[in-house]
Amino acid sequence: MQPVLAGVVTAVVGFASTFAVVLAGLRAVGADSRQAASGLLAVCLAAGATAIVLGLRHRIPISIAWSTPGAALLAATGAVDGGFAAAVGAFLVTGALIVASGLFPALGRAIAAIPRPIAAAMLAGVLLDLCIAPVRALVDVPLLAAPIVLVWLVLNRFARAWAVPAALAAAVLVIVLDSPAALRGAAAAPEVVLTAPVFTWQALVSLAVPLFLVTMASQNVPGMAVLQGYGYTPPLRGVLLGTGAATAVAAPFGSHAVNLAAITAALAAGPDAHPDPRRRWIASVTAGIGMITLGLGASAATAFVLSSPPLLIEAVAGLALLGALGAAIASATAEAQGREAAVVTFVVTASGVALLGVGAAFWGLLAGGLMLLLRPRSGTTPPSPRTSADRPPTESDPTPAAPSAVPS
C-alpha cells in the first residue's frame, strides 16, 4: 500500500502544482478554451500512459510529467505566425527531436555540450515573467491574492511539498467566494479536440527548438540524475524514444511535451515510496494511473480557470515556479567564466522581444553563445567551488539544476 499512496501523492502534487502553467502556456500560443482543455487532457494521458509502460517494462520508478519549463516558455513566447496550428506543428517537431536524440546519441551529447550557464540563464529568463505575477497580483487584486500568498508562505515553511497545491486550493476558495458563477464549469466533460498541424519556420525556431532544448536540459537530464542518485540505471534511449513518441502522438490534440519528471521524481524513487528499491516502480505506475484520472477533469479545470481573474491564476503559476527560477539563476551565475554570457542570455530572453517573428528565447540563446565566442581566451579565472546548484535534487530540495552532461 505504501508505494500506491506515494504514487497518488506524486500525481496530485505534479498535476495541482503546475497545471495552471500548462493552461497559461497553451492559451498564450493561441489555443481557445476547448483546445487548451484538450491539450491538458492529452498531456496527462500521454504522460500517464508512458509512465505505466516504462514502469511495467523496466521495473524502475520512472516518473513521467509534462514539461513545466516548456509550458512557461510558451507563455513567454506568446502567439506565433500561423496561430495555434503552427504551435501544434512545433510540438510535433519537438517530439521528433526527442526521438532523434534517443536514436542518435550524438544529438544528446550536443545538447549536453550547451554550456550550463547559458541553458540555465535561458530558462531563468523564460520563468521570470510568470514569477513576477504574484507581486503584480498583490498590487492589483490584493484582497484575492493575499490569502493565496499567505497560505503558500506558511506551507512552504512547514510542508514544502504541499505549498503550491495548498495555494491552488486557496485560490479555488477565493475565486468561488468572489465569483460563485465559476462553479458552473465544474460539470464540464472531458473533450478531445484535434488540431491539424501547420509548419512555419517562425514557430519552428521560436517554439520547437527552444522547447526541445529546455525539455532536455531542464527535465530529461536532471530526471536521469535523480534516478541515478537513488541507485537506478534508467534506460536513457528507451526513455527518450518513449517520451518523444508520446509527445508526437499527443501533439495534434494540443499537448506540448512530456518528459522525465525532475521535480516530483524523488516522491516515487525515494525511500518514502517503499523501503525496498525493487518495489518503488509501483509508485511511478500508480502515478501514471493517477495522472490519467486527473486528466479526465481537464475540461472542468480549464473552465474554472478561465472564469477566474487571469492574473490570479498566473500568480499561482508563478509561486509554483519560484523554486525553479532560483535554481536556474544559481546555476547560471555559479561559474565566473560564463557569468557575463549568462547575464546577456537572461536579459535578452527576459525582454520578451521578437525579431523576424522569432521569440526571445532563441535570441537569448544566440546572444549568450556569441558572448562566449567573443570572450578572451587568456587570463580566464578558475571555476568557482561546487555549489548546491550542481547537485541532484532531493525531497528537501525538489527543484533541480541541470547537470552539465547527459548521464550514460
Side-chain angles (χ1 to χ4, degrees):
M1 194 64 184
Q2 184 177 356
V4 173
L5 292 177
V8 171
V9 171
T10 300
V12 171
V13 171
F15 182 90
S17 297
T18 55
F19 84 89
V21 183
V22 175
L23 292 176
L26 293 175
R27 293 283 288 173
V29 294
D32 60 29
S33 59
R34 293 173 62 248
Q35 290 168 329
S38 176
L40 181 59
L41 171 60
V43 77
C44 287
L45 296 180
T50 306
I52 293 171
V53 171
L54 291 176
L56 290 175
R57 180 177 180 182
H58 299 288
R59 294 298 197 269
I60 293 176
I62 303 174
S63 298
I64 304 297
W66 56 58
S67 176
T68 300
L73 170 70
L74 304 185
T77 302
V80 294
D81 290 345
F84 187 61
V88 168
F91 302 161
L92 194 59
V93 172
T94 299
L97 289 173
I98 296 174
V99 169
S101 65
L103 292 175
F104 306 102
L107 181 57
R109 289 193 294 269
I111 300 302
I114 296 175
R116 183 182 58 201
I118 299 299
M122 182 186 74
L123 176 59
V126 165
L127 297 177
L128 181 64
D129 190 58
L130 274 177
C131 289
I132 292 174
V135 180
R136 296 201 306 264
L138 284 172
V139 174
D140 294 347
V141 284
L143 294 180
L144 299 179
I148 299 171
V149 174
L150 181 61
V151 168
W152 178 82
L153 285 172
V154 173
L155 268 294
N156 196 57
R157 170 63 178 84
F158 295 103
R160 186 175 178 180
W162 292 98
V164 175
L168 179 62
V172 171
L173 180 60
V174 166
I175 292 168
V176 170
L177 293 176
D178 182 66
S179 177
L183 288 175
R184 295 173 185 171
E191 181 181 11
V192 175
V193 178
L194 180 64
T195 301
V198 172
F199 300 97
T200 66
W201 74 269
Q202 292 96 336
L204 295 181
V205 176
S206 295
L207 285 183
V209 173
L211 180 57
F212 166 66
L213 293 175
V214 80
T215 298
M216 290 291 293
S218 301
Q219 294 276 170
N220 284 331
V221 173
M224 293 290 292
V226 171
L227 289 174
Q228 290 181 329
Y230 284 109
Y232 298 101
T233 305
L236 177 59
R237 185 173 186 271
V239 168
L240 294 177
L241 292 178
T243 56
T247 296
V249 169
F253 304 101
S255 169
H256 65 298
V258 298
N259 41 243
L260 274 175
I263 298 174
T264 58
L267 296 175
D272 289 340
H274 199 280
D276 185 356
R278 294 172 297 180
R279 301 286 293 169
R280 295 174 193 169
W281 64 269
I282 298 173
S284 66
V285 170
T286 303
I289 297 171
M291 186 61 74
I292 292 174
T293 304
L294 291 168
L296 297 177
S299 294
T302 304
F304 186 86
V305 165
L306 294 180
S307 66
S308 60
L311 183 57
L312 206 60
I313 298 303
E314 291 179 8
V316 177
L319 292 175
L321 294 171
L322 280 175
L325 175 63
I329 292 175
S331 181
T333 58
E335 299 177 3
Q337 283 185 315
R339 189 170 297 155
E340 188 175 29
V343 171
V344 170
T345 302
F346 171 75
V347 169
V348 175
T349 303
S351 71
V353 298
L355 182 62
L356 302 177
V358 178
F362 173 82
W363 297 117
L365 195 65
L366 183 62
L370 288 175
M371 283 295 297
L372 283 180
L373 290 176
L374 295 174
R375 185 184 63 192
R377 297 299 177 184
S378 59
T380 56
T381 57
S384 59
R386 185 177 178 88
T387 67
S388 60
D390 297 317
R391 59 176 170 79
T394 64
E395 290 93 339
S396 62
D397 182 20
T399 305
S404 58
V406 175
S408 57

